[in-house]
Amino acid sequence: MYLPFGEPVAPDDLRGFSAAVCRRMGAEADVAAEVAEHLVDADLAGHPSHGVMRLTQYFDEWERGDLVPRARPRLVRDGPGAALFDAARGFGHFSTIAACQWVAAHAESQGVAIAAIRHSGHTGRLGTYAEYLAERGLVAIVLVGAAGHSVGAAVLPGTSTRFLAANPWAIGIPAEERAPVVVDVSTTMLAEGKITVARENGQSLPPGCIVDADAQDGRDPEDYFNGGGLLPLGGHTAGHKGFGLGLAAALIGSLAMIGDPEPTLAGSQLPTGADPRGRAGGVAVIAINPGALGDGALYARQVAQTATAVGRAAGTVSHIQVPGTPEATARQRQAHGIRLADATHSALEELGKRLGIAPGYDRTPSLRRSTKISPTERTDHDRVG
């Protein structure tokens, strides 16, 4: 079997399978390779909620017509330090890395650059993009947000009324001779994908993370799926802080909506054509070149020294780690095999059968992060069957 049940799966095998799924849905080879690379890296980094389990979500979105796998991002505006991309409801992983490459090139020459992305599909793990930019010596701020009545999974504090998506922020900071410092957090107590993982594994949720349909605390994942919602970061005590950060992510992301005749929210939060009034959302990528403010190498050294000081200050408290370190450790641990949850394995096996992906599938090469992605002018709004 190409994905052996109950055994660790080689990352290259998982990349090949994931790319084959995307190709069957109509994605071109470079797009499929980028999506596969992104999903498998999330699993390698210890974040299965954003890993290959998402393939079934993308298949469902494709069948509904909300995801257009053949679409490629298009540059709508290309200014000296700001760009607007139209992802055309294609894979957000591809359009977001294209935006990262654009801001990297312009920040290196101008000091700072921003790109906004409209009509984006699910972007995957934001930390991936922050790492990409930080590894190039840039400070990165990446966010995706959606807001409005009945949007997303996060509730207004004190209610069970959903108003926000998880609306994560990712910040990447270069550090000398160590993994970048990468802060990648949702503005909710939990990411929605982690609830799905808990449901698949038959686990309860930590207290104070979700509410049920009556706005009461819940720990059973089914409380969330049966009319409940995610609590904003800060929970019952300081949920106004998470709500504020989540709303800000949506409003900054909505820079992509300015003048858009057919606005949609980021990811799968709002199907194309739904009434956008009172709703806001989009993706934004910002890059800052430390070298524009001084010696970039010296800055990276200062960051590394501060990161090292965290360990000294923490002493024997082992769970305190510099953000970005757990992911680097997980990649080393799982380099030769990723163990999938049984439910994820079964879902992928069924998906492979539906798409006719048999043992011996064509292995699409993984896309190198340094490879230049060139957006095209083609925008395909038609569902690919």
Side-chain angles (χ1 to χ4, degrees):
M1 181 61 187
Y2 49 92
L3 293 180
F5 194 92
E7 299 177 16
V9 182
D12 279 346
D13 288 343
L14 210 48
R15 291 187 187 99
F17 176 82
S18 300
V21 168
C22 295
R23 292 296 303 275
R24 289 288 198 278
M25 290 192 291
E28 296 183 13
D30 56 342
V31 176
E34 179 59 30
V35 176
E37 178 73 23
H38 187 110
L39 296 180
V40 174
D41 182 68
D43 278 307
L44 282 169
H47 296 284
S49 59
H50 287 70
V52 295
M53 67 173 287
R54 292 280 181 169
L55 286 170
T56 55
Q57 170 190 330
Y58 302 153
F59 177 80
D60 291 341
E61 291 175 355
W62 170 59
E63 282 203 312
R64 294 196 307 266
D66 293 335
L67 172 66
V68 184
R70 287 184 59 188
R72 301 182 72 88
R74 177 175 64 91
L75 265 172
V76 179
R77 289 177 175 267
D78 187 0
L84 174 62
F85 285 81
D86 187 341
R89 300 303 297 171
F91 282 111
H93 321 73
F94 190 82
S95 55
T96 307
I97 200 68
C100 284
Q101 291 177 339
W102 190 96
V103 298
H106 287 74
E108 286 167 358
S109 61
Q110 297 182 176
V112 64
I114 179 174
I117 308 169
R118 62 174 51 162
H119 304 153
S120 173
H122 187 251
T123 59
R125 176 178 169 263
L126 287 196
T128 297
Y129 311 112
E131 289 168 356
Y132 174 90
L133 292 168
E135 287 169 355
R136 284 152 182 76
L138 301 169
V139 174
I141 303 172
V142 187
L143 58 87
V144 57
H149 193 276
S150 301
V151 168
V155 300
L156 294 171
T159 78
S160 60
T161 301
R162 295 187 177 194
F163 195 87
L164 297 171
N167 293 7
W169 292 72
I171 299 171
I173 306 169
E176 182 183 66
E177 297 183 353
R178 61 171 296 144
V181 176
V182 177
V183 179
D184 179 11
V185 293
S186 297
T187 56
T188 54
M189 292 294 288
L190 282 179
E192 185 176 14
K194 296 188 184 302
I195 300 177
T196 301
V197 171
R199 184 192 207 183
E200 290 182 349
N201 294 328
Q203 298 171 333
S204 296
L205 300 172
C209 292
I210 67 169
V211 293
D212 61 20
D214 297 319
Q216 301 301 308
D217 280 331
R219 296 195 62 185
D220 186 337
E222 296 303 328
D223 290 334
Y224 166 79
F225 291 106
N226 293 326
L230 298 172
L231 281 171
L233 194 63
H236 296 295
T237 302
H240 62 284
K241 297 180 180 181
F243 172 74
L245 287 170
L247 182 60
L251 295 177
I252 295 172
S254 72
L255 288 167
M257 296 177 70
I258 299 173
D260 186 355
E262 298 180 350
T264 65
L265 298 184
S268 57
Q269 297 301 323
L270 189 68
T272 302
D275 186 353
R277 289 176 297 181
R279 295 183 171 99
V283 183
V285 180
I286 302 167
I288 303 166
N289 182 3
L293 302 172
D295 187 331
L298 178 58
Y299 175 73
R301 188 173 308 131
Q302 292 172 183
V303 172
Q305 290 170 347
T306 303
T308 300
V310 171
R312 292 198 298 267
T316 59
V317 183
S318 60
H319 69 272
I320 298 177
Q321 298 187 67
V322 175
T325 300
E327 287 78 9
T329 301
R331 289 188 182 104
Q332 294 176 348
R333 185 177 66 249
Q334 300 191 104
H336 300 294
I338 299 169
R339 190 175 294 278
L340 302 176
D342 289 351
T344 298
H345 185 283
S346 297
L348 294 183
E349 185 176 59
E350 178 61 27
L351 182 60
K353 291 177 181 177
R354 293 186 66 178
L355 290 172
I357 302 173
Y361 54 82
D362 181 34
R363 294 170 184 259
T364 304
S366 298
L367 185 69
R368 294 283 183 177
R369 290 296 188 192
S370 59
T371 299
K372 178 66 176 176
I373 296 175
S374 299
T376 72
E377 291 300 315
R378 180 171 63 80
T379 301
D380 186 350
H381 288 288
D382 298 324
R383 179 191 180 281
V384 180

